[in-house]
Amino acid sequence: RDPLKVTRRMSKKKISKRSKVKPFVKYANYNHVMPTRYQVPAELSPATLCTDQQMDNADGRVEAKKMIKSMLQEKFVAPPLDKSNRPSKDVLYLRKKLRF
């Protein structure tokens, strides 16, 4: 589940609820993956997020999801800065609705 839209009028509690991320973990066939205009930074590469040993059992998948959730929420709330002290564009795609 992706984060919901947030406005300035919302309370801190409502903003924190609406900026939650619910990740999922699954195997994907690279032949079925479509290229997009969004670039994923190196620290978010799938090989580093979840290993084959974690995918083998349910407990490992739960741990991987927790780690991914914490990392994505941290990047969503406070995106890393680039050289000009602006939010990095390679993570700002998390805040935009995907257009298909």
Side-chain angles (χ1 to χ4, degrees):
R1 190 175 61 79
D2 58 328
L4 299 172
K5 187 176 179 180
V6 174
T7 60
R8 281 192 297 179
R9 287 185 159 184
M10 293 180 185
S11 66
K12 298 261 185 201
K13 182 179 178 184
K14 192 166 195 172
I15 290 174
S16 68
K17 272 189 168 184
R18 291 177 76 96
S19 20
K20 290 189 178 166
V21 178
K22 185 174 182 185
F24 62 92
V25 195
K26 70 184 246 181
Y27 283 114
N29 188 346
Y30 278 119
N31 295 331
H32 298 164
V33 176
M34 295 290 290
T36 66
R37 63 189 173 122
Y38 301 100
Q39 295 179 353
V40 179
E43 68 258 10
L44 293 179
S45 70
T48 60
L49 296 178
C50 186
T51 62
D52 286 334
Q53 291 81 18
Q54 287 178 323
M55 290 295 287
D56 287 341
N57 58 8
D59 294 334
R61 287 191 295 274
V62 169
E63 287 298 318
K65 282 190 252 184
K66 284 181 184 176
M67 183 191 69
I68 293 169
K69 179 179 180 173
S70 66
M71 185 172 55
L72 285 177
Q73 276 190 229
E74 172 189 320
K75 300 258 187 229
F76 180 78
V77 172
L81 302 176
D82 61 2
K83 294 176 185 172
S84 60
N85 287 334
R86 292 188 179 152
S88 178
K89 291 192 180 204
D90 56 353
V91 182
L92 283 181
Y93 72 92
L94 289 172
R95 292 181 179 258
K96 293 183 180 173
K97 190 170 188 171
L98 295 178
R99 295 175 56 204
F100 293 105

